[in-house]
Amino acid sequence: MHGIRIGRIFGIDIAIHVSWFAILALFAFSLATGFFPAVYVWHPAAYWIVALIATLLLFVSVLAHELGHSLVALRQGIPVKSITLFILGGVASIEKDPASPGREAILAGVGPLVSLAIGVVTFALAQVLPGPEYLVAVLFYLGVANVSLALFNMLPGFPMDGGRVLRALLWWRSRDFLTATRRAAGVSRIVGYGFIALGGYQLLTASGLSGIWLAFVGWMLLQASRASLQQAQLEHELEGVTARRLATAPRVWVPPFITLNAARDYFADQPAPCLPVEAEREGEAYDGALCVSDLERTPRPEWDSARARDAMTRAGDIPSVSPETPAIEAVRLMAEQGVSRVAVIDAGSLLGFLDREGTFRFLQRRRALGAPGV
Ligand SMILES: [Zn+2]
């Protein structure tokens, strides 16, 4: 998820997704028109100012929750790229899964613990501080909101932290990551359907907006449990497979200056959807990848004049990995950068491309035939 970068803490980019402004407005609105007026008698403008401050502080708490996850991840040697605030709260992009159930339980559990701690402290302060009233109101709200956040996050469903804590427990008991994920995803689905049913019930009986929101959260849970399971399955199936094994060595290379009309013949007698384009300069591994789709994209009348180097994807835009990189890392890289291939570079020369299609075919074949020696 991309957002507007607002700063950097402990080497982690902090960003805000555009959807966050919608939830900021919604929260501030409900505080200014519902929560505060129900308890306090203030000047109308004061409701809005205090509401905005309280909402911003709530998001600082959400940031602290995500920082909790991130710092534990960094300590476990797992890179953290960024933390993004968006419509459903915050998300830290933690690059991979922890290596053991204990580590996963700590990594997932620390977020709700941070929220709980903030909630208890602010709630206690709201009880003991004599005033001013605005401050007490904000602290009280932060107390309630953070404790709710901690409880909500401990629900046993993906992508919530509780789902991961549950998986860690099952993983610890079964000593098998895939089985544990399968079971945790099953529980997660039940929680998801529960939310949808609750949302449907609310829609029928009373408040439409919260019913839609609950159903939406339920739908997110179903999506996330499926994604977690697919991810675990993929990691399991690609375990021990290196990029070298999945790279397809090119049978032919395309010279950079030939026209697309001439390049078409290169695709005629070999099956690869993309071919490397020879480097113009000495010392470069290759100049780019020319794909069937590049030809399709170029209008036919231009095939006589357009050259391979004009239509290709430049090497600079194709991520590269070394032959010994785990294949799962290459798959992650493709997903992250939204590309369908990576270049496998061995000591400065191109070994071949590893693409989504080839990886998919490899997995299909493995499912059909079984892994060698298993
Ligand atoms: Zn969390």
Side-chain angles (χ1 to χ4, degrees):
M1 186 171 1
H2 294 285
I4 310 150
R5 219 191 108 187
I6 55 163
R8 213 171 151 80
I9 306 175
F10 302 112
I12 303 161
D13 282 335
I14 311 294
I16 285 175
H17 188 252
V18 283
S19 65
W20 177 78
F21 292 99
I23 198 73
L24 176 76
L26 189 69
F27 272 45
F29 175 79
S30 75
L31 275 181
T33 59
F35 191 82
F36 289 144
V39 187
Y40 305 102
V41 182
W42 294 339
H43 185 274
Y47 287 130
W48 281 97
I49 295 166
V50 178
L52 197 63
I53 292 171
T55 310
L56 286 173
L57 286 174
L58 173 65
F59 281 99
V60 172
S61 320
V62 171
L63 197 60
H65 172 119
E66 297 303 330
L67 269 176
H69 289 306
S70 305
L71 292 182
V72 169
L74 289 177
R75 270 195 74 106
Q76 292 184 0
I78 301 172
V80 182
K81 258 227 191 100
S82 60
I83 293 174
T84 308
L85 292 177
F86 71 122
I87 195 157
L88 292 178
V91 62
S93 74
I94 292 172
E95 307 266 290
K96 52 183 177 183
D97 286 322
S100 72
R103 288 180 162 208
E104 168 148 59
I106 295 170
L107 179 57
V110 70
L113 278 179
V114 169
S115 295
L116 190 67
I118 296 175
V120 169
V121 169
T122 47
F123 190 80
L125 282 175
Q127 303 305 310
V128 297
L129 284 184
E133 203 173 61
Y134 297 134
L135 177 67
V136 173
V138 170
L139 287 171
F140 177 73
Y141 170 68
L142 287 177
V144 173
N146 274 291
V147 171
S148 314
L149 202 66
L151 291 177
F152 178 73
N153 263 295
M154 279 312 285
L155 285 175
F158 294 117
M160 266 100 71
D161 299 321
R164 302 196 59 176
V165 171
L166 174 68
R167 172 169 69 184
L169 281 172
L170 294 168
W171 183 10
W172 172 67
R173 270 187 44 181
S174 69
R175 292 169 193 279
D176 179 17
F177 183 72
L178 188 58
T179 309
T181 305
R182 214 171 268 149
R183 287 184 190 148
V187 175
S188 183
R189 263 197 306 277
I190 294 171
V191 178
Y193 283 123
F195 266 98
I196 291 175
L198 205 66
Y201 175 75
Q202 283 216 353
L203 254 181
L204 291 178
T205 53
S207 46
L209 201 63
S210 68
I212 291 171
W213 188 81
L214 282 172
F216 178 65
V217 170
W219 177 79
M220 290 273 302
L221 276 158
L222 295 183
Q223 301 296 316
S225 55
R226 190 188 313 154
S228 299
L229 191 55
Q230 275 172 353
Q231 176 68 23
Q233 196 127 24
L234 195 66
E235 268 171 43
H236 175 74
E237 288 177 321
L238 288 179
E239 206 179 331
V241 178
T242 57
R244 182 195 294 278
R245 274 177 67 189
L246 291 191
T248 337
R251 274 199 223 165
V252 279
W253 288 64
V254 179
F257 289 101
I258 62 167
T259 64
L260 294 188
N261 246 336
R264 172 178 51 188
D265 297 340
Y266 283 73
F267 288 101
D269 41 329
Q270 59 80 46
C274 292
L275 292 170
V277 176
E278 289 167 5
E280 283 176 53
R281 274 181 303 166
E282 201 72 30
E284 305 272 331
Y286 72 116
D287 258 12
L290 184 70
C291 302
V292 175
S293 57
D294 294 325
L295 268 72
E296 283 170 348
R297 216 180 21 239
T298 312
R300 288 230 170 209
E302 291 173 26
W303 282 21
D304 275 329
S305 54
R307 310 204 170 265
R309 67 195 294 262
D310 305 321
M312 71 181 186
T313 306
R314 294 184 185 287
D317 296 326
I318 302 171
S320 62
V321 298
S322 81
E324 303 323 316
T325 305
I328 187 79
E329 297 281 338
V331 170
R332 198 170 290 139
L333 205 60
M334 286 192 279
E336 229 174 67
Q337 307 206 2
V339 293
S340 34
R341 64 188 39 76
V342 298
V344 182
I345 307 279
D346 188 13
S349 59
L350 180 77
L351 203 73
F353 294 119
L354 182 163
D355 60 17
R356 282 171 195 262
E357 234 183 270
T359 309
F360 181 69
R361 274 201 307 272
F362 171 85
L363 288 171
Q364 264 189 331
R365 207 168 56 222
R366 261 202 163 188
R367 279 167 204 163
L369 303 177
V374 175

PDB file of all heavy atoms in Angstrom, residues 62 65-66 68-69 90-92 107-113 115 149 153 159-162 164, ligand 1:
ATOM      1  N   VAL A  62      -2.310   4.296  17.484  1.00  0.00           N
ATOM      2  CA  VAL A  62      -2.266   3.223  16.476  1.00  0.00           C
ATOM      3  C   VAL A  62      -0.836   3.085  15.939  1.00  0.00           C
ATOM      4  O   VAL A  62      -0.321   1.973  15.769  1.00  0.00           O
ATOM      5  CB  VAL A  62      -3.258   3.521  15.321  1.00  0.00           C
ATOM      6  CG1 VAL A  62      -3.059   2.543  14.172  1.00  0.00           C
ATOM      7  CG2 VAL A  62      -4.686   3.454  15.830  1.00  0.00           C
ATOM      8  N   HIS A  65       1.220   1.213  18.395  1.00  0.00           N
ATOM      9  CA  HIS A  65       0.902  -0.216  18.267  1.00  0.00           C
ATOM     10  C   HIS A  65       1.734  -0.844  17.142  1.00  0.00           C
ATOM     11  O   HIS A  65       2.405  -1.861  17.331  1.00  0.00           O
ATOM     12  CB  HIS A  65      -0.603  -0.337  17.992  1.00  0.00           C
ATOM     13  CG  HIS A  65      -1.092  -1.703  17.655  1.00  0.00           C
ATOM     14  ND1 HIS A  65      -2.030  -2.368  18.414  1.00  0.00           N
ATOM     15  CD2 HIS A  65      -0.804  -2.546  16.627  1.00  0.00           C
ATOM     16  CE1 HIS A  65      -2.285  -3.544  17.872  1.00  0.00           C
ATOM     17  NE2 HIS A  65      -1.556  -3.676  16.775  1.00  0.00           N
ATOM     18  N   GLU A  66       1.720  -0.186  15.980  1.00  0.00           N
ATOM     19  CA  GLU A  66       2.474  -0.714  14.841  1.00  0.00           C
ATOM     20  C   GLU A  66       3.978  -0.636  15.076  1.00  0.00           C
ATOM     21  O   GLU A  66       4.725  -1.515  14.636  1.00  0.00           O
ATOM     22  CB  GLU A  66       2.106   0.033  13.552  1.00  0.00           C
ATOM     23  CG  GLU A  66       0.646  -0.123  13.126  1.00  0.00           C
ATOM     24  CD  GLU A  66       0.237  -1.576  12.943  1.00  0.00           C
ATOM     25  OE1 GLU A  66       1.092  -2.409  12.587  1.00  0.00           O
ATOM     26  OE2 GLU A  66      -0.947  -1.892  13.177  1.00  0.00           O
ATOM     27  N   GLY A  68       5.358  -1.017  17.908  1.00  0.00           N
ATOM     28  CA  GLY A  68       5.624  -2.161  18.784  1.00  0.00           C
ATOM     29  C   GLY A  68       5.949  -3.398  17.955  1.00  0.00           C
ATOM     30  O   GLY A  68       6.987  -4.047  18.138  1.00  0.00           O
ATOM     31  N   HIS A  69       5.059  -3.702  16.980  1.00  0.00           N
ATOM     32  CA  HIS A  69       5.319  -4.840  16.081  1.00  0.00           C
ATOM     33  C   HIS A  69       6.669  -4.669  15.374  1.00  0.00           C
ATOM     34  O   HIS A  69       7.468  -5.599  15.283  1.00  0.00           O
ATOM     35  CB  HIS A  69       4.251  -4.921  14.989  1.00  0.00           C
ATOM     36  CG  HIS A  69       2.900  -5.357  15.459  1.00  0.00           C
ATOM     37  ND1 HIS A  69       2.690  -6.513  16.166  1.00  0.00           N
ATOM     38  CD2 HIS A  69       1.676  -4.803  15.287  1.00  0.00           C
ATOM     39  CE1 HIS A  69       1.397  -6.644  16.415  1.00  0.00           C
ATOM     40  NE2 HIS A  69       0.754  -5.624  15.899  1.00  0.00           N
ATOM     41  N   GLY A  90      -3.777   0.862  11.153  1.00  0.00           N
ATOM     42  CA  GLY A  90      -2.398   0.948  10.702  1.00  0.00           C
ATOM     43  C   GLY A  90      -1.918  -0.410  10.230  1.00  0.00           C
ATOM     44  O   GLY A  90      -2.462  -1.439  10.607  1.00  0.00           O
ATOM     45  N   VAL A  91      -0.897  -0.406   9.376  1.00  0.00           N
ATOM     46  CA  VAL A  91      -0.301  -1.671   8.965  1.00  0.00           C
ATOM     47  C   VAL A  91       1.206  -1.465   8.796  1.00  0.00           C
ATOM     48  O   VAL A  91       1.648  -0.478   8.232  1.00  0.00           O
ATOM     49  CB  VAL A  91      -0.963  -2.216   7.675  1.00  0.00           C
ATOM     50  CG1 VAL A  91      -0.782  -1.276   6.518  1.00  0.00           C
ATOM     51  CG2 VAL A  91      -0.435  -3.599   7.342  1.00  0.00           C
ATOM     52  N   ALA A  92       1.981  -2.400   9.381  1.00  0.00           N
ATOM     53  CA  ALA A  92       3.428  -2.348   9.223  1.00  0.00           C
ATOM     54  C   ALA A  92       3.793  -3.369   8.163  1.00  0.00           C
ATOM     55  O   ALA A  92       3.308  -4.501   8.200  1.00  0.00           O
ATOM     56  CB  ALA A  92       4.121  -2.678  10.540  1.00  0.00           C
ATOM     57  N   LEU A 107       5.858 -11.342  18.394  1.00  0.00           N
ATOM     58  CA  LEU A 107       5.720 -10.332  17.343  1.00  0.00           C
ATOM     59  C   LEU A 107       4.259  -9.883  17.197  1.00  0.00           C
ATOM     60  O   LEU A 107       3.971  -8.699  17.073  1.00  0.00           O
ATOM     61  CB  LEU A 107       6.241 -10.894  16.014  1.00  0.00           C
ATOM     62  CG  LEU A 107       6.148  -9.995  14.797  1.00  0.00           C
ATOM     63  CD1 LEU A 107       6.875  -8.698  15.013  1.00  0.00           C
ATOM     64  CD2 LEU A 107       6.688 -10.699  13.565  1.00  0.00           C
ATOM     65  N   ALA A 108       3.326 -10.849  17.225  1.00  0.00           N
ATOM     66  CA  ALA A 108       1.915 -10.503  17.042  1.00  0.00           C
ATOM     67  C   ALA A 108       1.320  -9.944  18.332  1.00  0.00           C
ATOM     68  O   ALA A 108       0.506  -9.030  18.301  1.00  0.00           O
ATOM     69  CB  ALA A 108       1.134 -11.738  16.595  1.00  0.00           C
ATOM     70  N   GLY A 109       1.740 -10.481  19.465  1.00  0.00           N
ATOM     71  CA  GLY A 109       1.116 -10.099  20.730  1.00  0.00           C
ATOM     72  C   GLY A 109       1.523  -8.728  21.238  1.00  0.00           C
ATOM     73  O   GLY A 109       0.792  -8.105  22.006  1.00  0.00           O
ATOM     74  N   VAL A 110       2.684  -8.239  20.802  1.00  0.00           N
ATOM     75  CA  VAL A 110       3.191  -6.984  21.355  1.00  0.00           C
ATOM     76  C   VAL A 110       2.310  -5.778  20.989  1.00  0.00           C
ATOM     77  O   VAL A 110       2.146  -4.859  21.798  1.00  0.00           O
ATOM     78  CB  VAL A 110       4.668  -6.747  20.946  1.00  0.00           C
ATOM     79  CG1 VAL A 110       4.777  -6.424  19.468  1.00  0.00           C
ATOM     80  CG2 VAL A 110       5.283  -5.622  21.754  1.00  0.00           C
ATOM     81  N   GLY A 111       1.688  -5.819  19.810  1.00  0.00           N
ATOM     82  CA  GLY A 111       0.838  -4.699  19.375  1.00  0.00           C
ATOM     83  C   GLY A 111      -0.326  -4.467  20.334  1.00  0.00           C
ATOM     84  O   GLY A 111      -0.477  -3.373  20.897  1.00  0.00           O
ATOM     85  N   PRO A 112      -1.165  -5.509  20.554  1.00  0.00           N
ATOM     86  CA  PRO A 112      -2.266  -5.358  21.509  1.00  0.00           C
ATOM     87  C   PRO A 112      -1.776  -4.983  22.912  1.00  0.00           C
ATOM     88  O   PRO A 112      -2.452  -4.226  23.609  1.00  0.00           O
ATOM     89  CB  PRO A 112      -2.910  -6.740  21.522  1.00  0.00           C
ATOM     90  CG  PRO A 112      -2.597  -7.314  20.191  1.00  0.00           C
ATOM     91  CD  PRO A 112      -1.253  -6.784  19.812  1.00  0.00           C
ATOM     92  N   LEU A 113      -0.604  -5.474  23.301  1.00  0.00           N
ATOM     93  CA  LEU A 113      -0.071  -5.112  24.615  1.00  0.00           C
ATOM     94  C   LEU A 113       0.217  -3.614  24.700  1.00  0.00           C
ATOM     95  O   LEU A 113      -0.086  -2.976  25.711  1.00  0.00           O
ATOM     96  CB  LEU A 113       1.210  -5.899  24.919  1.00  0.00           C
ATOM     97  CG  LEU A 113       1.009  -7.315  25.451  1.00  0.00           C
ATOM     98  CD1 LEU A 113       2.343  -7.988  25.690  1.00  0.00           C
ATOM     99  CD2 LEU A 113       0.181  -7.289  26.740  1.00  0.00           C
ATOM    100  N   SER A 115      -1.275  -1.269  22.921  1.00  0.00           N
ATOM    101  CA  SER A 115      -2.572  -0.589  22.964  1.00  0.00           C
ATOM    102  C   SER A 115      -3.176  -0.676  24.364  1.00  0.00           C
ATOM    103  O   SER A 115      -3.712   0.310  24.881  1.00  0.00           O
ATOM    104  CB  SER A 115      -3.544  -1.224  21.966  1.00  0.00           C
ATOM    105  OG  SER A 115      -3.092  -1.023  20.662  1.00  0.00           O
ATOM    106  N   LEU A 149      -9.323  -1.277  21.063  1.00  0.00           N
ATOM    107  CA  LEU A 149      -8.403  -1.632  19.985  1.00  0.00           C
ATOM    108  C   LEU A 149      -7.652  -2.917  20.333  1.00  0.00           C
ATOM    109  O   LEU A 149      -7.499  -3.817  19.492  1.00  0.00           O
ATOM    110  CB  LEU A 149      -7.413  -0.485  19.794  1.00  0.00           C
ATOM    111  CG  LEU A 149      -6.708  -0.382  18.451  1.00  0.00           C
ATOM    112  CD1 LEU A 149      -7.716  -0.053  17.371  1.00  0.00           C
ATOM    113  CD2 LEU A 149      -5.643   0.706  18.507  1.00  0.00           C
ATOM    114  N   ASN A 153      -8.194  -6.409  18.341  1.00  0.00           N
ATOM    115  CA  ASN A 153      -7.044  -7.009  17.671  1.00  0.00           C
ATOM    116  C   ASN A 153      -6.734  -8.407  18.154  1.00  0.00           C
ATOM    117  O   ASN A 153      -6.013  -9.151  17.503  1.00  0.00           O
ATOM    118  CB  ASN A 153      -5.820  -6.121  17.842  1.00  0.00           C
ATOM    119  CG  ASN A 153      -5.612  -5.243  16.635  1.00  0.00           C
ATOM    120  OD1 ASN A 153      -5.347  -5.733  15.554  1.00  0.00           O
ATOM    121  ND2 ASN A 153      -5.795  -3.952  16.809  1.00  0.00           N
ATOM    122  N   PRO A 159      -6.691 -10.671   9.388  1.00  0.00           N
ATOM    123  CA  PRO A 159      -5.298 -10.273   9.596  1.00  0.00           C
ATOM    124  C   PRO A 159      -5.054  -9.689  10.989  1.00  0.00           C
ATOM    125  O   PRO A 159      -4.070  -9.006  11.179  1.00  0.00           O
ATOM    126  CB  PRO A 159      -5.123  -9.182   8.534  1.00  0.00           C
ATOM    127  CG  PRO A 159      -6.469  -8.514   8.483  1.00  0.00           C
ATOM    128  CD  PRO A 159      -7.486  -9.564   8.836  1.00  0.00           C
ATOM    129  N   MET A 160      -5.972  -9.916  11.925  1.00  0.00           N
ATOM    130  CA  MET A 160      -5.771  -9.356  13.258  1.00  0.00           C
ATOM    131  C   MET A 160      -4.638 -10.088  13.974  1.00  0.00           C
ATOM    132  O   MET A 160      -4.284 -11.220  13.633  1.00  0.00           O
ATOM    133  CB  MET A 160      -7.053  -9.466  14.074  1.00  0.00           C
ATOM    134  CG  MET A 160      -7.904  -8.215  13.993  1.00  0.00           C
ATOM    135  SD  MET A 160      -9.235  -8.359  12.859  1.00  0.00           S
ATOM    136  CE  MET A 160     -10.264  -9.478  13.751  1.00  0.00           C
ATOM    137  N   ASP A 161      -4.109  -9.431  15.012  1.00  0.00           N
ATOM    138  CA  ASP A 161      -2.990 -10.017  15.741  1.00  0.00           C
ATOM    139  C   ASP A 161      -3.393 -11.328  16.431  1.00  0.00           C
ATOM    140  O   ASP A 161      -2.602 -12.249  16.536  1.00  0.00           O
ATOM    141  CB  ASP A 161      -2.479  -9.019  16.778  1.00  0.00           C
ATOM    142  CG  ASP A 161      -1.982  -7.754  16.099  1.00  0.00           C
ATOM    143  OD1 ASP A 161      -1.360  -7.867  15.032  1.00  0.00           O
ATOM    144  OD2 ASP A 161      -2.235  -6.657  16.628  1.00  0.00           O
ATOM    145  N   GLY A 162      -4.658 -11.379  16.891  1.00  0.00           N
ATOM    146  CA  GLY A 162      -5.134 -12.585  17.568  1.00  0.00           C
ATOM    147  C   GLY A 162      -5.046 -13.814  16.662  1.00  0.00           C
ATOM    148  O   GLY A 162      -4.756 -14.922  17.125  1.00  0.00           O
ATOM    149  N   ARG A 164      -2.799 -14.392  14.470  1.00  0.00           N
ATOM    150  CA  ARG A 164      -1.392 -14.818  14.405  1.00  0.00           C
ATOM    151  C   ARG A 164      -0.949 -15.440  15.722  1.00  0.00           C
ATOM    152  O   ARG A 164      -0.154 -16.377  15.733  1.00  0.00           O
ATOM    153  CB  ARG A 164      -0.506 -13.640  14.028  1.00  0.00           C
ATOM    154  CG  ARG A 164      -0.926 -13.053  12.688  1.00  0.00           C
ATOM    155  CD  ARG A 164       0.117 -12.165  12.119  1.00  0.00           C
ATOM    156  NE  ARG A 164       1.364 -12.888  11.931  1.00  0.00           N
ATOM    157  CZ  ARG A 164       2.444 -12.360  11.374  1.00  0.00           C
ATOM    158  NH1 ARG A 164       2.419 -11.116  10.982  1.00  0.00           N
ATOM    159  NH2 ARG A 164       3.547 -13.066  11.240  1.00  0.00           N
TER     160      ARG A 164
HETATM  161 ZN    ZN B   1      -1.265  -5.274  15.516  1.00  0.00          ZN
END
